[in-house]
Amino acid sequence: MTAKTVRTILAIGIIAASVGLAAITYLLSFPDPDHSQRYLALQLEVTGSSNRVAGIYLNMRLFDTLLEILVFSVAVLGVRYYLSHASDVPTPSLSESGVVRIAVNFLGPLALLLSAFFALFGHLSPGGGFAAGVIAGSAMLYVAIAQGMEATEARLKPHRVATVEKAILLFVLCWVLLPVVLGRAPLTDLLPKGTAGQLMSGGSILPYNLLIGAKVFLGAWLIIAAFAQHRGEL
Amino acid sequence: MAAAVSFVLLGLGLVALVLRRDLVMKLLALGLINSSAILFLLSVGDRPGGSAPIQLPGETLIMVDPLPQALVLSAIVVNFAILALALVFVMILVERYHTTDSSRIEEELAHETPEEDEPCL
């Protein structure tokens, strides 16, 4: 049996299994899990955050989020390490478009503003630190396209950015372990909950959103800078 | 319905992952599989007539389940990390073997003698 036949049989098997699963899923209805009811019933009093998703991942399931941050940090480290050891491949530069340059100069600051809004109001409205960081990283990519990689790197030097990014990770880890020093359980929220619906509410969720936003932004910038340096051109 | 669509997307992603030889297409297939997982989780948390899970004290709303949405965030971040790292490995392979065809890379690897097999980096 040739490799092509094996692949074809495998593909037909996967398609049949997927269609079967899709049909079963369409016919079944999912019951409401009890765990979700518990989260829905308790969360507003426990977290003080109007945005229940933010309340879950930055308060009730903070441990998951810490691991997410660690996974992101490892990815940034890995990309930088492997690209710094790979040989650079200079790519011929593309012709620039005046329309892109002007549009990007306009859209870049707007995207940064949106990012700040998402980080600040992530506990009150849709958004949060991860989304804010990705938007800010995209904004910096816009700026780098418009103003050139060298000029942008001169403002946000990768080696300094890498230091700050690691410092934020350490700060977050110290922050979540601080309650242990005070004789309380780790990950306990030490800040007051405030009144739900107001900016200063949700305890540590607002600082977490700002820190995660900054970390994801800097990490995304480091990845962009590593790829650009490897290519020799953005 | 969305859950059923998610399984169709999963099947498409798996088929592309198995059949396509191009490494970049394989990465795109991985992204599709991740999207199917996200769609499935969101569909599990769906409620008929449910609004976004943002609620002020005193408000009574029928909300969609926020727990799967929180889990989706993990899925997105992990997928981003995997794709970024995998893309770097694909770039290194392309530099070494000058192709994105996985079969050709496997053939060249098979022809390489152990003496030629240098540590990757």
Side-chain angles (χ1 to χ4, degrees), chain A residues 8-30:
Chain A
T8 311
I9 291 170
L10 198 56
I12 291 169
I14 290 169
I15 290 171
S18 305
V19 171
L21 280 172
I24 292 168
T25 316
Y26 185 65
L27 294 174
L28 289 177
S29 60
F30 294 103

Side-chain angles (χ1 to χ4, degrees), chain A residues 71-109:
Chain A
V71 166
F72 182 79
S73 304
V74 170
V76 174
L77 267 179
V79 169
R80 292 194 76 217
Y81 175 79
Y82 284 111
L83 281 182
S84 67
H85 285 74
S87 52
D88 291 351
V89 183
T91 309
S93 59
L94 301 171
S95 59
E96 289 196 3
S97 157
V99 176
V100 170
R101 186 179 287 270
I102 291 167
V104 154
N105 269 330
F106 175 69
L107 286 174

Side-chain angles (χ1 to χ4, degrees), chain A residues 4 7-8 10-12 14-15 18-19 21-23 25-26 30-33 35-37 39-40 43-44 49-53 56-57 61 64-65 68-69 71-72 74-79 81-83 85-89 124-126 130-131 195-198 220 223 227 230-231, chain B residues 1-15 18-21 26 40 43-47 52-59 63-89 91-92 95 102-103 120-121:
Chain A
K4 193 178 177 183
R7 274 204 294 264
T8 311
L10 198 56
I12 291 169
I14 290 169
I15 290 171
S18 305
V19 171
L21 280 172
T25 316
Y26 185 65
F30 294 103
D32 293 354
H35 286 300
S36 298
Q37 292 303 328
Y39 280 111
L40 281 170
Q43 202 201 111
L44 201 57
S49 164
S50 305
N51 183 343
R52 295 194 169 214
V53 178
I56 289 175
Y57 79 85
R61 301 185 67 90
D64 291 359
T65 309
E68 274 174 48
I69 300 172
V71 166
F72 182 79
V74 170
V76 174
L77 267 179
V79 169
Y81 175 79
Y82 284 111
L83 281 182
H85 285 74
S87 52
D88 291 351
V89 183
L124 303 177
S125 59
F130 287 104
T195 310
Q198 299 198 345
I223 290 178
F227 276 112
H230 181 71
R231 275 170 58 88
Chain B
M1 183 65 191
V5 172
S6 75
F7 280 108
V8 173
L9 287 177
L10 173 68
L12 284 174
L14 282 172
V15 167
V18 172
L19 289 186
R20 298 304 297 253
R21 290 178 175 178
K26 280 183 190 287
F40 178 73
S43 69
V44 167
D46 190 29
R47 299 282 179 276
I54 295 169
Q55 187 183 27
L56 290 172
E59 272 185 332
M63 291 185 295
V64 296
D65 189 349
L67 185 60
Q69 297 196 13
L71 296 177
V72 157
L73 207 71
S74 304
I76 293 171
V77 173
V78 171
N79 181 58
F80 170 78
I82 289 173
L83 283 185
L85 265 181
L87 194 59
V88 172
F89 294 144
M91 286 168 72
I92 291 170
E95 276 166 29
S102 56
S103 300
C120 183
L121 292 170

Side-chain angles (χ1 to χ4, degrees), chain A:
Chain A
M1 198 181 284
T2 61
K4 193 178 177 183
T5 318
V6 172
R7 274 204 294 264
T8 311
I9 291 170
L10 198 56
I12 291 169
I14 290 169
I15 290 171
S18 305
V19 171
L21 280 172
I24 292 168
T25 316
Y26 185 65
L27 294 174
L28 289 177
S29 60
F30 294 103
D32 293 354
D34 291 339
H35 286 300
S36 298
Q37 292 303 328
R38 187 168 66 87
Y39 280 111
L40 281 170
L42 291 176
Q43 202 201 111
L44 201 57
E45 293 76 40
V46 172
T47 67
S49 164
S50 305
N51 183 343
R52 295 194 169 214
V53 178
I56 289 175
Y57 79 85
L58 290 174
N59 187 311
M60 300 175 88
R61 301 185 67 90
L62 182 60
F63 195 67
D64 291 359
T65 309
L66 284 180
L67 290 177
E68 274 174 48
I69 300 172
L70 279 175
V71 166
F72 182 79
S73 304
V74 170
V76 174
L77 267 179
V79 169
R80 292 194 76 217
Y81 175 79
Y82 284 111
L83 281 182
S84 67
H85 285 74
S87 52
D88 291 351
V89 183
T91 309
S93 59
L94 301 171
S95 59
E96 289 196 3
S97 157
V99 176
V100 170
R101 186 179 287 270
I102 291 167
V104 154
N105 269 330
F106 175 69
L107 286 174
L110 269 183
L112 280 175
L113 192 65
L114 188 68
S115 159
F117 175 80
F118 270 29
L120 274 172
F121 292 88
H123 58 305
L124 303 177
S125 59
F130 287 104
V134 171
I135 294 171
S138 307
M140 285 315 291
L141 180 62
Y142 291 155
V143 172
I145 288 171
Q147 300 179 359
M149 200 63 201
E150 277 184 22
T152 319
E153 271 189 348
R155 285 186 198 166
L156 278 173
K157 293 184 175 66
H159 63 279
R160 284 188 190 167
V161 169
T163 312
V164 176
E165 195 231 353
K166 288 186 191 82
I168 291 175
L169 176 65
L170 277 176
F171 182 78
V172 171
L173 290 177
C174 291
W175 182 282
V176 297
L177 289 175
L178 184 64
V180 180
V181 181
L182 303 174
R184 300 173 71 177
L187 310 184
T188 306
D189 192 357
L190 296 174
L191 296 181
K193 297 283 181 289
T195 310
Q198 299 198 345
L199 182 61
M200 300 306 286
S201 64
S204 298
I205 293 179
L206 175 60
Y208 281 141
N209 268 333
L210 292 171
L211 287 168
I212 292 172
K215 177 162 176 50
V216 173
F217 162 52
L218 297 177
W221 171 245
L222 284 174
I223 290 178
I224 291 167
F227 276 112
Q229 192 183 18
H230 181 71
R231 275 170 58 88
E233 179 70 31
L234 199 64

